Amino acid sequence: MRDTEPARELAVATRLRRDHPAELVSAALAQARLRQRAVAKFGAADAGRMFFTPNGVEQSTRTSVATYRAECFQALGVRSVADLCCGIGGDAIAFARAGIRVLAVDRDPLTVAVARANADALGLAELIEVREADVTEVDTAGYDAVFVDPARRSSKRGRIFDPEAYSPPLSWAVSAAVQAPLGALKIAPGIPHEAIPAQAEAEWISDGGDVKEAVLWFRADGTPGARRAMLLPAGAGVWAAPDTMLPDPAVRPVGRYLYEPDGAVIRAHLVAEVAEELEGGLIDPTIAYVTADEHHVTPYAAAYEITDQLPFNVKKLKALLREREVGILTVKKRGSAVEPEELRKKVKPQGRNSATVFLTRVAGAPTMLIGHPA
């Protein structure tokens, strides 16, 4: 059943219902579908043994990020952690695999049952105590660290953007974190910087180029107000303290190379630090594209060699692509209202070559930059 393809589900369900209750068969097939979805986050080996809920698959931390965080805790000497709002146990599993004893707490009975089943299924039950409780009533004294992952989605409103509308609210999570020797709070990566508590270090984490989450760190030997971008799987990080953060880079003409900073770098407001490393500047004061005359290899940005710079004009772009025999067209945009698929339909790329077009602004003017990965 684990590898059942969607097209074969009806046949499998019909066969199983001959010997098993219909409700049990439906539940098993639903679990099989969830396990297939969970492979992207947990890997095939773990996903095939774990148990999931729809919300659990959607909201749980992917293994690569949870492992990175657990390694950070381990490096800081943490031997025990209170994992509040633990969900189905993704972070608790990573903590336990790092040798850290975990108290995993959630108030939803089904979620607690799933988290407990996952600890058992992965052979980590001795290190993970799963408790059904309201996290605001849990005594975390005696634990080396507190990790809080507040719910940021509502069944009625969907994604929640106001940190005080988290469950529990960010203010409560901060109070719980600062009372522990080490505290870490998982938050939405789009949180406004002005909503970040002054005493926190803020870290944005991307995995494979996609920003996955932000974390607020509270520790006695930390640097309040510091910002970090961590890029996985490379493990490359760029960091700046409040007194060392650079001003916005200068705007300059488009050079031979265009750099697209990783989303975590942009979210952390560390584009200036990356631009300095690249000896580059911005193409527009409001656009996070860095340009430079030289090619630099960096984990913090994708590099493109620019061959053409044109004012935005669909007919001119179509003619250029036809002349270059471009059939594989990648469209990127930043600061443009044009949708990539809309443009692709209009220019109808055909040919054996490939190109990348950036729809953006250069010194305030709508512009097309054409090039290819460097």
Side-chain angles (χ1 to χ4, degrees):
M1 183 178 295
R2 177 185 305 175
D3 300 320
T4 300
E5 298 178 1
R8 296 188 60 248
E9 277 193 8
L10 180 58
V12 172
T14 300
R15 176 172 54 82
L16 291 175
R17 285 182 180 130
R18 295 170 187 162
D19 303 308
H20 304 283
E23 296 82 358
L24 181 61
V25 173
S26 296
L29 286 171
Q31 196 59 219
R33 288 194 294 269
L34 291 173
R35 285 177 170 179
Q36 290 170 354
R37 285 174 52 195
V39 168
K41 281 191 173 183
F42 291 91
D46 281 355
R49 291 186 291 166
M50 293 172 66
F51 299 89
F52 300 97
T53 64
N55 284 340
V57 173
E58 180 70 25
Q59 299 179 23
S60 58
T61 305
R62 65 173 48 215
T63 295
S64 56
V65 178
T67 299
Y68 159 70
R69 181 164 33 250
E71 290 172 350
C72 290
F73 274 58
Q74 184 185 52
L76 292 168
V78 173
R79 295 184 178 181
S80 63
V81 58
D83 179 2
L84 308 182
C85 308
C86 67
I88 62 171
D91 281 287
I93 289 165
F95 287 136
R97 283 179 168 166
I100 299 172
R101 180 172 57 86
V102 186
L103 169 64
V105 183
D106 204 284
R107 67 181 180 182
D108 179 66
L110 176 59
T111 301
V112 167
V114 171
R116 188 174 290 120
N118 286 335
D120 288 336
L122 299 179
L124 299 169
E126 290 187 2
L127 282 171
I128 302 175
E129 175 193 347
V130 184
R131 184 183 303 176
E132 179 185 337
D134 184 330
V135 297
T136 64
E137 299 174 358
V138 174
D139 182 6
T140 60
Y143 288 88
D144 295 337
V146 168
F147 174 67
V148 190
D149 183 5
R152 296 176 298 282
R153 289 180 181 271
S154 165
S155 58
K156 295 182 179 179
R157 295 187 296 166
R159 192 182 301 274
I160 297 172
F161 297 97
D162 178 7
E164 283 306 299
Y166 292 174
S167 180
L170 179 62
S171 56
W172 179 89
V174 170
S175 67
V178 298
Q179 293 177 33
L182 170 68
L185 313 180
K186 181 178 172 180
I187 56 174
I191 186 171
H193 277 231
E194 56 268 22
I196 297 173
Q199 69 269 44
E201 294 182 68
E203 177 181 43
W204 283 261
I205 304 171
S206 68
D207 187 22
D210 295 327
V211 182
K212 295 303 178 185
E213 63 182 58
V215 180
L216 303 182
W217 293 87
F218 301 84
R219 54 198 183 104
D221 60 345
T223 305
R227 301 289 183 263
R228 177 186 293 106
M230 174 54 63
L231 284 56
L232 302 177
V238 56
W239 181 92
D243 57 350
T244 63
M245 289 180 182
L246 299 177
D248 291 340
V251 176
R252 52 151 291 176
V254 176
R256 182 176 177 181
Y257 295 94
L258 186 75
Y259 294 87
E260 182 181 28
D262 185 274
V265 171
I266 296 173
R267 295 281 193 180
H269 294 183
L270 295 173
V271 172
E273 281 68 17
V274 172
E276 182 180 60
E277 177 185 310
L278 299 172
E279 300 177 332
L282 298 179
I283 64 171
D284 184 277
T286 64
I287 304 294
Y289 281 140
V290 176
T291 187
D293 297 319
E294 302 294 333
H295 180 222
H296 300 271
V297 177
T298 174
Y300 306 119
Y304 296 84
E305 185 172 7
I306 299 302
T307 57
D308 300 88
Q309 177 179 343
L310 303 170
F312 181 79
N313 186 298
V314 175
K315 289 184 178 180
K316 289 185 178 180
L317 177 62
K318 185 175 182 179
L320 184 147
L321 296 177
R322 186 187 303 116
E323 177 186 336
R324 305 269 174 88
E325 297 184 353
V326 173
I328 303 173
L329 182 66
T330 300
V331 182
K332 293 176 172 287
K333 72 165 194 168
R334 188 165 290 165
S336 171
V338 178
E339 291 300 326
E341 282 306 315
E342 176 187 334
L343 180 70
R344 192 176 283 105
K345 289 179 181 178
K346 290 181 178 179
V347 299
K348 300 176 181 177
Q350 292 181 343
R352 56 188 176 82
N353 298 319
S354 61
T356 300
V357 58
F358 294 86
L359 306 178
T360 187
R361 292 194 305 271
V362 173
T367 303
M368 302 180 299
L369 301 175
I370 298 94
H372 55 80

